Amino acid sequence: MRKIRINLLPGDGIGPEVVREGVNALRRLAELDGGVAFEFNELPGGCRYYLEHGRMMPDDGLRTLADCDAILLGAVGFPGVPDHVSLRELLLPIRVEFDQYVNLRPVRLLPGLTSPLRNDRIDFTVIRENSEGEYCGEGRFEPDDAGAVQLARFTRRGTERIIRYAFDYAVRHRLNRVLSATKSNALNYSMVFWDRVFAEVSTEFPGVAAEKMHIDALAGYFIMHPDRLQVVVADNLFGDILTDLGSAMLGSIGISPSGNLNPEGRFPSMFEPIHGSAPDIAGRGIANPLGTLWAVVMLLAHLGLDDWSERLMRAIEHALAAGTARTRDIGGSATTAQAAAAVITELERMA
Ligand code: NAI
Ligand code: MG
């Protein structure tokens, strides 16, 4: 019996509502197949914790969180705690301390979903730098509220490894184009450097076409020509924005997953839906659980449970195509629990 320990950080708002469904799916897979025992450990942390204790997680939070095979996160942030506090004191420290420098985000229109775009051949991956860039947290407020400076830090190591990961990813998935998001016309240091490293690293991969596009043009390209995208590599800020856009191209932000990966396996990787805590619908049981279930698909693949990962993905696709897993955000009326149950039903049918 293989024992797998998963730390849960449900967080705020709809986070606990969707993480619950992810856990259910994992439990059901283990019941159906045997051979694996999941052990779940739910950790405190989030805005409610902050309001009680004055910090986003316990002092030894990161150490406790590190002790597992993988992490499943809901969402962090809620009115009452400034967003820069919740993000900077919980989510970003995890990504940085655990060296989860790859943020992997698939953007694929699943059967049964309707894209708002006319060109709906959408199947690509965004690889976002997840540990530095504009989100390094350095800067200052100037005296007398006269202004502010926000620093963006791009290290040689950080830039090289994310770009190399993107090319490696393309090779592993038999794709032949990597498109870099840049803005080296205006950002005359960071993006000039990024472009240089991109050009250098690309020479190691002669079989993959290396292309770059300024972020503003690229945003338009996402809308006009999504079918031409394969692998997009972007820094932290551009990648953040592009992937929300990517999810909107699938009809809802509630569908898309992401993996915060430490590819070397020195620290656990963390999987989450890309959406936030959705305070406007929290507590109503109507959040779309598919982003989290898709994140569980990625988690399973990361743990080497490829068969389970593929089966859960197929179950999501079948339930979507059958119309049984459609929450309000994607034009249906299923509750969170009903949509997740429809996916489980498909899993059972396949067993
Ligand atoms: P959001 O993603 O929470 O919500 C944006 C819109 O999408 C809302 O109308 C919401 O109802 C809808 N939505 C989101 N997830 C949904 C789901 N699963 N099903 C159906 N509808 C869904 O983004 P927003 O409003 O910018 O942020 C809310 C809070 O979440 C903030 O505190 C923010 O900092 C935090 N946040 C946290 C993230 C994380 O933990 N990774 C990511 C993004 C935001
Ligand atoms: Mg985002």
Side-chain angles (χ1 to χ4, degrees):
M1 181 71 89
R2 178 175 170 197
K3 202 165 116 184
I4 296 177
R5 296 163 66 217
I6 301 193
N7 278 345
L8 306 173
L9 203 56
D12 303 309
I14 63 170
E17 302 172 34
V18 292
V19 164
R20 187 180 308 137
E21 304 303 340
V23 170
N24 278 344
L26 285 166
R27 285 216 170 98
R28 195 71 192 112
L29 274 165
E31 280 165 12
L32 288 171
D33 260 36
V36 171
F38 289 110
E39 189 184 298
F40 298 102
N41 183 19
E42 188 172 323
L43 302 178
C47 291
R48 190 133 33 93
Y49 188 90
Y50 182 90
L51 293 175
E52 280 169 34
H53 300 91
R55 52 190 150 111
M56 287 298 292
M57 66 178 139
D59 273 344
D60 60 350
L62 281 179
R63 197 152 36 88
T64 320
L65 193 61
D67 186 23
C68 66
D69 297 301
I71 302 165
L72 182 62
L73 175 100
V76 177
F78 215 71
V81 179
D83 282 344
H84 66 272
V85 170
S86 49
L87 193 69
R88 290 230 70 93
E89 292 189 15
L90 186 58
L91 213 48
L92 296 187
I94 298 172
R95 290 174 176 172
V96 171
E97 289 300 317
F98 294 175
D99 210 15
Q100 295 166 342
Y101 63 86
V102 176
N103 194 310
L104 188 66
R105 299 190 168 197
V107 182
R108 180 153 54 91
L109 189 69
L110 305 178
L113 288 177
T114 309
S115 170
L117 301 185
R118 205 163 43 198
N119 182 347
D120 66 357
R121 276 174 297 152
I122 304 171
D123 183 1
F124 62 94
T125 303
V126 179
I127 290 169
R128 163 186 169 192
E129 206 291 321
N130 210 30
S131 65
E132 54 177 41
E134 300 82 355
Y135 294 4
C136 70
E138 292 171 54
R140 63 174 185 274
F141 293 114
E142 305 212 304
D144 306 322
D145 221 17
V149 174
Q150 184 85 45
L151 225 101
R153 188 169 291 287
F154 288 73
T155 65
R156 158 66 63 174
R157 173 170 173 266
T159 308
E160 239 182 68
R161 65 185 182 176
I162 194 65
I163 290 172
R164 188 167 288 116
Y165 187 94
F167 279 98
D168 268 330
Y169 182 93
V171 170
R172 269 190 282 131
H173 292 82
R174 296 176 212 290
L175 300 166
N176 54 24
R177 291 177 72 195
V178 172
L179 179 54
S180 164
T182 185
K183 188 64 190 173
S184 47
N185 53 352
L187 302 174
N188 52 340
Y189 295 103
S190 59
M191 282 296 135
V192 169
F193 176 73
W194 173 276
D195 284 2
R196 197 153 62 221
V197 174
F198 181 74
E200 274 172 37
V201 172
S202 71
T203 62
E204 297 167 23
F205 300 88
V208 181
E211 297 159 32
K212 63 178 180 177
M213 205 177 283
H214 291 310
I215 183 67
D216 40 357
L218 182 54
Y221 196 79
F222 264 49
I223 302 299
M224 302 303 288
H225 307 292
D227 55 313
R228 297 187 199 160
L229 299 168
Q230 293 189 2
V231 177
V232 178
V233 63
D235 71 328
N236 215 333
L237 173 63
F238 294 165
D240 191 358
I241 299 168
L242 283 177
T243 47
D244 271 36
L245 174 59
S247 198
M249 287 157 60
L250 309 182
S252 168
I253 195 165
I255 294 160
S256 293
S258 88
N260 303 271
L261 310 181
N262 174 244
E264 293 77 23
R266 280 193 301 128
F267 298 94
S269 293
M270 178 166 73
F271 300 85
E272 56 173 320
I274 79 158
H275 63 74
S277 62
D280 53 334
I281 58 164
R284 292 168 55 194
I286 56 170
N288 192 333
L290 296 185
T292 304
L293 292 176
W294 196 345
V296 169
V297 167
M298 295 178 78
L299 179 151
L300 288 166
H302 177 75
L303 293 171
L305 295 166
D306 293 328
D307 176 52
W308 290 12
S309 170
E310 281 157 28
R311 261 162 57 199
L312 182 56
M313 193 70 232
R314 250 181 302 137
I316 294 171
E317 289 174 355
H318 288 173
L320 265 178
T324 50
R326 244 175 247 161
T327 41
R328 283 196 344 183
D329 55 310
I330 49 174
S333 58
T335 63
T336 307
Q338 285 166 343
V343 173
I344 303 259
T345 303
E346 295 295 335
L347 265 185
E348 290 164 348
R349 219 196 294 273
M350 277 183 255

